[in-house]
Amino acid sequence: MDFLYCKKGEGIIRLRCKFPQVNSERHSELIISNWIQLREPKNFVSAILAAIPLMILNTLLSITVLGIFSPFSLADIGINPSQTITLTIHLQDLAYLIGLVFIHEFIHLFFIPGFLMSDKTFLGITYFGGFVYSEEVISKSRYTLITLAPFILLSIILPGILGALDLLNPLAKILILLNAMSSGVDMLGLIFIMIQVPAGAYLTSNGIRTYWKRIDKSIPGSN
């Protein structure tokens, strides 16, 4: 199920509530057209488990940036070794968390070329979080930007800006670190692309599968 999320001129952003399934017919068409399927985890659970070390690495990197301005401590999440552990979650905090999910995914979406005009590009939200999906043909360099942008902007650059303005309160720190942690799966996907896809190649998606191919864009119909 997908429906209009917003409009801008003739463009639209589509919101999908379920991640697209692999289309076997599209898979055959891509293989016949010399697209190469990426070797990557076969499902989300495997991807999340494989990404745990990267989640930890991302979080440590973000903590390092936070430490320049306002060191992160366990007290920021209500843990004090000398006292009883208390963790209070307010509805407002949940709203901030949901907002973070949308902002993270919208940043991915924003860097996809022509996302407003594309009927192959979706912003998704499920019980397990958000996602951005596109079957557009995207260059490796742009794909890298799309993948890295939420982590760099929200967990590296944003804490620097908030720190300089003295606005790094405990909630802001937690949201920044949650974004860093959730970006671990993005980093895992990027590593597979960096290892397997040559420079100058293009990528496209078919459900959870990713494919790459060298394309000469100067030749009409080359994709």
Side-chain angles (χ1 to χ4, degrees):
M1 173 183 176
D2 32 285
F3 51 90
L4 301 187
Y5 183 70
C6 67
K7 291 186 176 182
K8 182 178 180 181
E10 296 181 354
I12 60 175
I13 296 176
R14 296 183 182 276
L15 181 65
R16 173 163 284 191
C17 299
K18 183 179 180 181
F19 198 87
Q21 299 298 307
V22 173
N23 185 316
S24 57
E25 183 177 339
R26 173 169 163 78
H27 171 79
S28 299
E29 292 174 352
L30 290 169
I31 298 302
I32 291 173
S33 300
N34 298 317
W35 285 87
I36 300 172
Q37 184 178 339
L38 209 66
R39 297 187 301 276
E40 55 190 342
K42 298 184 182 300
N43 54 61
F44 288 117
V45 174
S46 298
I48 291 173
L49 292 176
I52 289 176
L54 297 171
M55 294 179 185
I56 296 172
L57 183 61
N58 279 0
T59 303
L60 292 175
L61 181 57
S62 190
I63 286 175
T64 301
V65 176
L66 286 171
I68 297 173
F69 303 95
S70 178
F72 178 79
S73 68
L74 294 179
D76 288 325
I77 56 175
I79 298 177
N80 191 326
S82 63
Q83 298 177 359
T84 302
I85 296 176
T86 58
L87 181 61
T88 303
I89 300 177
H90 302 285
L91 288 178
Q92 183 179 0
D93 299 333
L94 292 176
Y96 284 131
L97 180 59
I98 294 171
L100 174 67
V101 172
F102 272 103
I103 293 171
H104 178 108
E105 299 305 334
F106 185 80
I107 291 173
H108 281 309
L109 183 69
F110 179 80
F111 286 100
I112 296 176
F115 71 93
L116 282 173
M117 305 303 296
S118 173
D119 58 358
K120 302 177 182 178
T121 302
F122 301 89
L123 173 66
I125 187 71
T126 69
Y127 293 112
F128 303 103
F131 67 89
V132 166
Y133 176 81
S134 180
E135 293 183 0
E136 295 293 344
V137 175
I138 301 172
S139 68
K140 180 183 177 181
S141 57
R142 177 55 72 97
Y143 207 99
T144 300
L145 174 62
I146 293 167
T147 303
L148 284 174
F151 173 64
I152 297 298
L153 292 177
L154 297 179
S155 293
I156 301 298
I157 295 177
L158 181 61
I161 294 174
L162 294 180
L165 298 174
D166 197 25
L167 296 175
L168 279 174
N169 57 45
L171 177 59
K173 294 179 186 179
I174 291 171
L175 292 175
I176 287 168
L177 294 180
L178 285 175
N179 180 74
M181 187 181 301
S182 66
S183 296
V185 176
D186 294 335
M187 298 302 108
L188 178 67
L190 183 59
I191 288 174
F192 284 119
I193 289 170
M194 289 300 179
I195 293 174
Q196 301 179 48
V197 181
Y202 286 75
L203 297 105
T204 190
S205 298
N206 176 24
I208 197 172
R209 298 178 184 173
T210 308
Y211 305 75
W212 70 268
K213 178 182 177 181
R214 292 183 183 272
I215 297 175
D216 186 349
K217 284 292 188 177
S218 66
I219 302 177
S222 60
N223 60 338

